[in-house]
Amino acid sequence: MTAPKKLFVKTYGCQMNVYDSERMAEALGSEGYEQVGSAEEADMILLNTCHIREKAAEKVYSELGRFRPLREANPDLKIGVAGCVAQAEGEEIMRRQPLVDLVVGPQTYHRLPAMARAVEAGEKALDTDFPEEDKFLHLPKARKPKRGPTAFLTVQEGCDKFCAFCVVPYTRGAEVSRPVDRLIREARELVERGVREITLLGQNVNAYHGEGPDGEWGLARLIWELAEIDGLDRIRFTTSHPNDMEDALIEAHGTCDKLMPYLHLPVQSGSDKILKAMNRKHTAEKYVQLIERIRAARPDLLLSGDFIVGFPGETEEDFQATLDLVKTVSYGQAYSFKYSARPGTPAAEKPMVDEAVANDRLQRLQALLSTQQKAAQDAMVGREVSVLFEKTGRLDGQLVGKSDYLHAVHVVAPKTLLGEIAKVRIVESGPNSLKGELI
Ligand code: SAH
Ligand code: SF4
Ligand code: F3S
């Protein structure tokens, strides 16, 4: 037998890329590649990239440049770019960085084994098609090692919303849902391998409308079906769009025990003028009312969101409306970004807000959000939560896991609890995590 070739995959961007990286590594496993932890040891380096903001894309090029000495030391080293930068820039990547041998878009990973053979033969390989078939179905069957207690499962991909700032509809293509039976099968396999918590993924996950045994199923129905799987204890989903928050899904948050009390529901802005310019197709008031309905179903739900400041045309008054919305809603967790013009998107044609103004707004918004985040975390002290232990902590005898509300919790606990769920009382709230005691 020949020695396994070594593959190093580095993942940027969203959780869907994390899921895809696992699938790509499995696909290359069938070509004799074994995953390693560093670029220095690798025969093939694959960067799974993100194009969402300018900085994310530029990172890829600076990272690629750093591989030059590795190539000089090992002329057989193959370098590939996958993901959303690959889709958006295609051949341009090879022009700009001749070190690159392979460019593969997010919808053609199942063709990777053949592409790997081509680059091993000294060719360059590029594939950024949007094929009709389900790439996940056509991936080679993986070897099935034991794995950690949490996993991602992509149920839906792509987006038809075309928010004016966003590259996703161009890099990931049109919205497609995977059929129910395949998802149930994949979930069962994950549970057999030790998974206790599954996060359902999609750029627009709550727009899920997959083919079921009796017609189309929405996300709520899929969640109820997954909840029937013994050994699967926790279900989450991300990311959702406010306009796709169907009643059955809101209700499930109140009635499905396995659905965790955490929801990521981005609003982007609190100004109706900006929401309209962003093509978000809802008002601030509609969003606030939606949150009220969700909280009526599940009062202790921890809400998370995304915000963009400095979108073209945003005035101080518009920004104040965002701060007001944040105060009204109150987030337990949030991500905020300065607007980044993305080539090819409608908003990129519009004049930018002054950089210093945008920076200042970002700081003010982040200060407010982090106060709310800390308050939500502090409010956990004294409460009983359930924790799924994922790994050992830095201190001796400590394990770290996630609470139902997705807070990281440090607990002194025996190693036998790794991969298990236990009741924990929260005793302390630190800067970024909680401390708890086994009950
Ligand atoms: N599908 C998800 C989000 C995908 S991108 C949704 O619709 O909510 C993740 C986040 O990145 C977005 O919610 C948005 O806040 C941010 N984002 C996307 N494009 C951006 C851009 N051009 N500039 C700054 N932030 C952006
Ligand atoms: Fe991008 Fe909007 Fe689609 Fe989210 S809903 S992926 S922000 S276009
Ligand atoms: Fe980035 Fe593509 Fe995800 S642009 S956020 S990796 S869908």
Side-chain angles (χ1 to χ4, degrees), residues 12-17 49-53 83-85 167-168 171-172 203:
Y12 301 83
C14 62
Q15 291 131 322
M16 306 199 60
N17 266 7
T49 62
C50 173
H51 203 243
I52 200 82
R53 284 169 290 275
C84 292
V85 174
V167 292
V168 170
T171 59
R172 293 275 171 165
Q203 270 92 17

Side-chain angles (χ1 to χ4, degrees), residues 176-187:
V176 180
S177 295
R178 300 178 64 201
V180 171
D181 58 346
R182 273 180 230 159
L183 296 173
I184 301 292
R185 206 180 317 139
E186 201 171 318

Side-chain angles (χ1 to χ4, degrees), residues 156 161 175 177 204-210 219 239-241 244:
Q156 176 278 331
K161 296 272 190 302
E175 199 199 281
S177 295
N204 242 292
V205 71
N206 60 339
Y208 177 82
H209 55 100
L219 187 66
T239 298
S240 300
H241 191 288
D244 293 316

Side-chain angles (χ1 to χ4, degrees), residues 412-434:
V412 173
K415 272 199 179 142
T416 48
L417 281 181
L418 274 176
E420 301 293 330
I421 296 172
K423 286 271 175 230
V424 166
R425 186 175 317 283
I426 302 300
V427 292
E428 204 183 304
S429 171
N432 296 307
S433 66
L434 295 165

